[in-house]
Amino acid sequence: MASRARVRAPELIGKGGWLNTGNKDLTLSDLRGRIVVLDFWTFCCVNCLHVLDELRELEEKHRDTVVIIGVHSPKFVHEAEHQAVVDAVERYGVEHPVLDDPELATWKQYAVRAWPTLVVIDPEGYVVAQHAGEGHAHAIATLVEELAAEHEAKGTLRRGDGPYVPPEPVATDLRFPGKAVRLPGGGFLVSDTTRHQLVELAEDGERVLRRIGSGERGLTPDTFNEPQGLALLPDGKVAVADTVNHALRVFDPASGTLETVAGTGKQWWQGSPTSGPAREVALSSPWDLAWWQDRLWIAMAGVHQLWTYDPATGTVEVAAGTTNEGLVDGPAAEAWFAQPSGLAAAADRLWIADSETSAVRWVEPAEDGYVIRTAVGTGLFDFGHRDGAAGQALLQHPLGVTALPDGSVAIADTYNHALRRYDPASGEVTTLATDLREPSDAVLVDDDIVVVESARHRLTRLRLPEEAVRVEAVAHRTQRAATEVSPGALRLEVVFQAPAGQKLDTRYGPSTRLLVSATPPELLADGAGAGTDLGRELVLADGVTEGVLHVSAMAASCDDDPDIEYPACHVHQQDWGVPVTVTEDGVARLGLVLAGLDA
């Protein structure tokens, strides 16, 4: 193997303690002799959820040599609550030890800058690789095999069972339900996300009438994989966002049949088709659905876009969003979203819960297509619980929206454990109810609203109040240490080292892409925009002393063997939001690791 920099791995420290270990605290010395993969994640982040699924095969195949450790590193205040992490570990089927690090102690020790980040530690306790973003499972699998062979020969590899101890199962009718829809007969269909099923409930929202799906992960006529959004179609059938299968399914309540109508079962990557026959186009974590303007609209959380599916033609296409993550309004093709996770159709607009920007937005028809507007929310870093004028109101990672008869919209303000309301007529945001544990959706039933309390594993019926609940205003900003940079020129370098046995794929042009922007935009005097070089000279503007650099990088690599006629190729991509402070003694180079180690 090629020689690597010998960097001793820092100890694993987290104030929240350990999960999935049978109440045992782990240290790196306990793991000596094993290959350790640290997964720095936070449960709000859809890219982190993608990586959890990417790692499942590695975890199973190399169970006797590899130990995966999740290091939960929160973005939102709610994610720093220990019980919320416990819930998330069960919700997403995490089957390895997790360190709850609410104060980002281990994140800082490993100089992590992005969710998700993977760090590989060899059996002797040295860091040998770091990867940011998605698409690195193949590279890590190759590295694991190399490390296993090397340390087997040295006598430093220790095989055996890992430290994972599964939690005791809990008996409830629902387990972390995601979304619900009211059926024409008066009952409810609920996506029982963690159990990979749909559940039909009676009109009381409690009595189980039937379960749809075997409860195993899969993409067959009897399986789902963490289903979320549901939408009633004009013909009485129900469309299902089968999120981790990256597919759309249609369930017929009358016959009980389940049909896949869109998606290939594989995740969409940059460069893949964005329109065409629905079963031939890949999707990416569809999270919610709504029937509007004679189409099924899809909140495509995995790529920060809205798509549509047309049952008449059997086709899908992108309807809004560029795949860049952020909050930018305007013509649909130019708008930016950040994990759109909830949709609700009204007569003249389609409401959107844009979760990572803690925003409520909407789509409305325009002369030449559609336009995107924002009702509440300012961007990726500001959130809280504050009512009042929409321009200064705050939400915290909302996952659901529900159109109300008076033209307003109810908001499942998930991480605030609240039901909120935005009234376009008054421009005001109010709180309708509190003490709802991670509400993720709501369904209107006459004068009541039925809320999906995801972390209480139930539907909760509320009477819509005539007067809003008053709460004390709280504002937050994502807490990450700012990087001190020097004024003027700043060299940006995204580090990418192709995995062993691979090379950059240049058969069809440049294999790398770099997109740079800033908040506020005035932070950058030069260097913003798209390009193909992973290094770039930025110029910071005079007079702007702080802000956030938004960096999006992508690299494609393929097998480096001339004898392989059709080499396997892999896309690696990541978005960073790097807070910076301009100081005279700051650094003149900003290095971000996509894959490899930064020298």
Side-chain angles (χ1 to χ4, degrees), residues 380-441:
L380 287 164
F381 303 103
D382 291 299
F383 59 92
H385 191 156
R386 186 164 63 200
D387 288 336
Q392 57 85 51
L394 294 172
L395 311 169
Q396 187 178 177
H397 198 80
L399 288 178
V401 280
T402 305
L404 300 179
D406 63 357
S408 65
V409 59
I411 307 157
D413 193 3
T414 309
Y415 288 2
N416 279 328
H417 310 300
L419 188 68
R420 313 283 292 282
R421 174 177 176 262
Y422 166 67
D423 183 1
S426 66
E428 294 284 314
V429 174
T430 52
T431 297
L432 298 178
T434 57
D435 191 30
L436 298 167
R437 188 69 186 172
E438 291 192 17
S440 55
D441 195 18

Side-chain angles (χ1 to χ4, degrees), residues 120-157:
V120 182
I121 302 171
D122 73 11
E124 294 179 289
Y126 291 93
V127 174
V128 293
Q130 181 171 326
H131 302 264
E134 305 177 48
H136 302 294
H138 173 79
I140 291 176
T142 301
L143 177 59
V144 160
E145 291 175 358
E146 292 180 355
L147 288 170
E150 174 186 341
H151 288 273
E152 188 98 79
K154 290 175 66 176
T156 50
L157 183 71

Side-chain angles (χ1 to χ4, degrees), residues 27-61:
T27 66
L28 284 177
S29 62
D30 296 330
L31 304 172
R32 199 61 47 83
R34 311 298 292 273
I35 301 163
V36 178
V37 179
L38 301 182
D39 175 16
F40 290 86
W41 70 297
T42 188
F43 64 79
C44 73
C45 161
V46 71
N47 309 93
C48 299
L49 304 185
H50 290 167
V51 168
L52 283 177
D53 290 308
E54 289 178 3
L55 292 175
R56 293 187 199 280
E57 183 178 349
L58 177 76
E59 199 165 29
E60 182 60 35
K61 185 176 179 180

Side-chain angles (χ1 to χ4, degrees), residues 179 287-288 299 301 338-343 352-355 397-400 440:
K179 305 287 185 180
W287 209 274
D288 203 10
Q339 257 173 255
S341 302
L343 298 175
I352 309 159
D354 201 29
S355 62
H397 198 80
L399 288 178
S440 55

Side-chain angles (χ1 to χ4, degrees), residues 185-189 199-210 459 461:
F188 300 90
L189 192 66
V199 176
E200 184 178 350
L201 301 177
E203 288 188 68
D204 61 6
E206 297 181 10
R207 185 163 54 92
V208 175
L209 300 180
R210 60 172 162 170
L459 303 190
R461 186 181 295 258

Side-chain angles (χ1 to χ4, degrees), residues 237-439:
K237 297 178 182 178
V238 179
V240 183
D242 197 358
T243 304
V244 178
N245 275 329
H246 310 293
L248 296 188
R249 322 288 291 279
V250 170
F251 170 66
D252 185 349
S255 66
T257 58
L258 181 66
E259 178 187 7
T260 302
V261 297
T264 63
K266 302 294 184 181
Q267 185 182 340
W268 185 94
W269 289 99
Q270 290 287 350
S272 302
T274 55
S275 64
R279 291 299 310 276
E280 299 174 17
V281 178
L283 310 180
S284 182
S285 293
W287 209 274
D288 203 10
L289 306 169
W291 183 262
W292 187 64
Q293 300 266 313
D294 297 321
R295 298 284 191 279
L296 185 68
W297 287 69
I298 309 163
M300 202 72 77
V303 285
H304 318 299
Q305 290 180 312
L306 304 181
W307 288 41
T308 59
Y309 165 65
D310 183 355
T313 60
T315 57
V316 293
E317 63 180 351
V318 173
T322 64
T323 75
N324 296 321
E325 185 178 12
L327 194 156
V328 176
D329 288 341
E334 302 171 15
W336 292 23
F337 298 95
Q339 257 173 255
S341 302
L343 298 175
D348 59 345
R349 63 182 62 181
L350 179 70
W351 293 105
I352 309 159
D354 201 29
S355 62
E356 278 294 285
T357 54
S358 296
V360 169
R361 307 172 72 185
W362 78 86
V363 186
E364 64 183 24
E367 290 185 5
D368 54 352
Y370 294 97
V371 66
I372 311 302
R373 311 282 189 201
T374 296
V376 186
T378 59
L380 287 164
F381 303 103
D382 291 299
F383 59 92
H385 191 156
R386 186 164 63 200
D387 288 336
Q392 57 85 51
L394 294 172
L395 311 169
Q396 187 178 177
H397 198 80
L399 288 178
V401 280
T402 305
L404 300 179
D406 63 357
S408 65
V409 59
I411 307 157
D413 193 3
T414 309
Y415 288 2
N416 279 328
H417 310 300
L419 188 68
R420 313 283 292 282
R421 174 177 176 262
Y422 166 67
D423 183 1
S426 66
E428 294 284 314
V429 174
T430 52
T431 297
L432 298 178
T434 57
D435 191 30
L436 298 167
R437 188 69 186 172
E438 291 192 17

